[in-house]
């Protein structure tokens, strides 16, 4: 019997995409015979993950999990929107969100963390084998406050804590927690709708600001404006840009006569203390993933031609 080393387990995982515990079991059953272990996993239906891994997974669900003073959000992708209605998949996303709440917002740490007797990554591989689609934990994030609340909102919710756009927003405040929670939900709804890039201009990447300055300056130069006027146009244009992309500067979706900053200031009397937004996270399912477009009619015609 060959020695079942970590390297042998790793080789089997790379070949099959099965979970570590499943690979160990396969090698134990086959006395360390790698090829026999591959067949053992195939017979158990546990090697499907590798065959699915190159498929684009741009659908799926956002999951949110919360506890007093903290929240976590994850994006778990699958190949088709149909899977989002699968109870097994929904349970998987909830489990991963709960793990992220305890481990923090590092996706690698979440994948490696235990969920029962398996790691999260092994649980995903098992779900791939069961459901038959490629799945992946794409990203995870968490927020916490020393005093205050982490408000949440889920858009297109299909179940508690599951949907298509998930938002966390951290409100630091010594005020009434119930009032803060209600306000946090409203601000999270605003973030879902307005998709800001940062809390304020200080949170924008320097290259983003420089690129916007360049666009504004080039437009002004093209119209023949002198340099001193161009500088003023750029300064004014940046203020308008901040109103588009910075949370506190945006017109509040629940009352667009106010900025979000003004709405928060007005809410302080009701809450019973100052309010500060210390961060937010907005996840939209499949955002930034290049989806593969298919011509369904052509596929049907091609299949008919082969039959």
């Amino acid at each position: 019997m060959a020695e079942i080393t970590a390297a042998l387990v790793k080789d089997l995982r790379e070949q099959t995409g099965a979970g570590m515990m499943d690979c160990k079991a396969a090698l134990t059953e086959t006395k360390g015979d790698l090829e026999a272990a591959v067949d053992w996993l195939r017979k158990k239906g546990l090697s499907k993950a590798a065959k699915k891994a190159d498929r684009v997974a741009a659908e799926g669900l956002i999951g949110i999990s919360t506890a007093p003073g903290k929240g976590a959000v994850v994006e778990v992708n699958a190949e088709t929107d149909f899977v989002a209605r699968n109870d097994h998949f929904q349970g998987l996303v909830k489990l991963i969100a709960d793990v992220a709440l305890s481990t923090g917002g590092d996706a690698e740490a979440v994948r490696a963390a235990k969920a029962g007797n398996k790691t999260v990554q092994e649980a995903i591989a098992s779900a791939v084998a069961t459901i038959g689609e490629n799945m992946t934990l794409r990203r995870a994030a968490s927020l916490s406050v020393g005093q205050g609340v982490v408000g949440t909102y889920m858009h297109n919710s299909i179940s508690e804590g599951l949907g298509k756009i998930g938002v966390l927003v951290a409100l630091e405040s010594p005020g009434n927690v119930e009032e803060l929670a209600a306000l946090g939900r409203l601000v999270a709804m605003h973030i879902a709708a307005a998709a800001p890039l940062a809390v304020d201009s200080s949170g924008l990447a320097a290259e983003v600001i420089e690129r916007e300055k360049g666009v504004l300056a080039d437009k002004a130069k093209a119209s023949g404006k002198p340099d001193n006027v161009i500088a003023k146009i750029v300064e004014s244009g940046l203020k308008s840009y901040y109103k588009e992309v910075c949370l506190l500067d945006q017109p509040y979706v629940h009352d667009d006569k106010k900025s979000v900053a003004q709405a928060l200031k007005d809410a302080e009397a009701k809450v019973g203390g100052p309010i500060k937004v210390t961060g937010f996270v907005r996840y939209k399912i499949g955002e930034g993933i290049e989806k593969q477009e298919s011509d369904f009619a052509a596929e049907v015609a091609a299949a008919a031609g082969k039959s």
Side-chain angles (χ1 to χ4, degrees):
M1 176 178 173
E3 182 185 357
I4 300 172
T5 63
L8 195 60
V9 173
K10 181 174 179 289
D11 285 345
L12 184 58
R13 289 191 71 187
E14 289 176 352
Q15 285 191 45
T16 65
M20 184 182 293
M21 298 305 294
D22 291 324
C23 288
K24 284 183 178 178
L27 288 165
T28 300
E29 288 292 324
T30 60
K31 297 181 172 55
D33 186 322
L34 189 61
E35 289 187 7
V38 171
D39 290 341
W40 188 90
L41 287 168
R42 289 180 63 197
K43 290 172 185 176
K44 296 287 185 180
L46 296 173
S47 66
K48 294 180 181 178
K51 297 177 182 178
K52 313 291 182 184
D54 60 348
R55 297 185 185 172
V56 175
E59 301 294 344
L61 287 170
I62 304 298
I64 285 178
S65 182
T66 60
K70 63 180 182 177
V73 58
V74 299
E75 178 182 358
V76 184
N77 297 124
E79 293 175 52
T80 65
D81 186 55
F82 180 77
V83 169
R85 299 188 290 276
N86 181 289
D87 289 342
H88 187 164
F89 182 71
Q90 290 180 17
L92 175 69
V93 179
K94 287 180 179 179
L95 178 147
I96 294 172
D98 288 342
V99 171
L101 186 66
S102 60
T103 60
D106 181 78
E108 284 300 322
V110 175
R111 291 187 192 100
K114 283 281 189 177
N117 61 353
K118 294 182 178 181
T119 66
V120 165
Q121 187 57 45
E122 288 167 348
I124 292 171
S126 179
V128 170
T130 300
I131 296 173
E133 283 198 10
N134 184 26
M135 298 173 199
T136 180
L137 168 60
R138 182 186 180 202
R139 50 185 175 168
S142 64
L143 293 175
S144 62
V145 291
Q147 192 176 30
V149 301
V150 175
T152 69
Y153 173 68
M154 184 66 74
H155 190 62
N156 288 340
S157 177
I158 65 166
S159 181
E160 183 68 27
L162 300 175
K164 296 299 184 180
I165 301 176
V167 176
L168 305 177
V169 58
L171 301 182
E172 288 273 7
S173 176
N176 180 276
V177 172
E178 289 185 4
E179 293 289 351
L180 277 171
L183 176 64
R185 177 174 170 77
L186 291 176
V187 177
M189 289 174 70
H190 168 96
I191 293 167
L197 300 181
V199 173
D200 55 33
S201 59
S202 68
L204 292 172
E207 57 267 26
V208 170
I209 296 175
E210 288 305 312
R211 184 169 64 246
E212 188 63 21
K213 281 182 178 179
V215 171
L216 293 166
D218 287 347
K219 283 183 179 179
K221 287 176 184 175
S223 62
K225 298 288 192 298
D227 288 347
N228 63 323
V229 175
I230 289 173
K232 291 179 180 178
I233 289 173
V234 170
E235 183 180 353
S236 175
L238 278 178
K239 289 179 181 178
S240 297
Y241 178 66
Y242 295 154
K243 288 180 181 178
E244 293 176 13
V245 302
C246 296
L247 173 62
L248 296 180
D249 295 316
Q250 288 179 327
Y252 192 38
V253 296
H254 304 289
D255 181 358
D256 60 10
K257 294 181 176 62
K258 301 176 182 178
S259 67
V260 172
Q262 290 168 334
L264 291 172
K265 190 67 178 176
D266 291 347
E268 289 181 349
K270 187 176 182 181
V271 167
I275 304 166
K276 181 181 180 182
V277 179
T278 58
F280 71 86
V281 181
R282 179 187 185 274
Y283 280 176
K284 180 179 180 181
I285 197 72
E287 191 170 45
I289 299 175
E290 185 176 345
K291 299 183 182 181
Q292 292 177 336
E293 300 295 335
S294 62
D295 185 335
F296 182 67
E299 288 178 6
V300 172
K306 292 177 181 178
S307 60

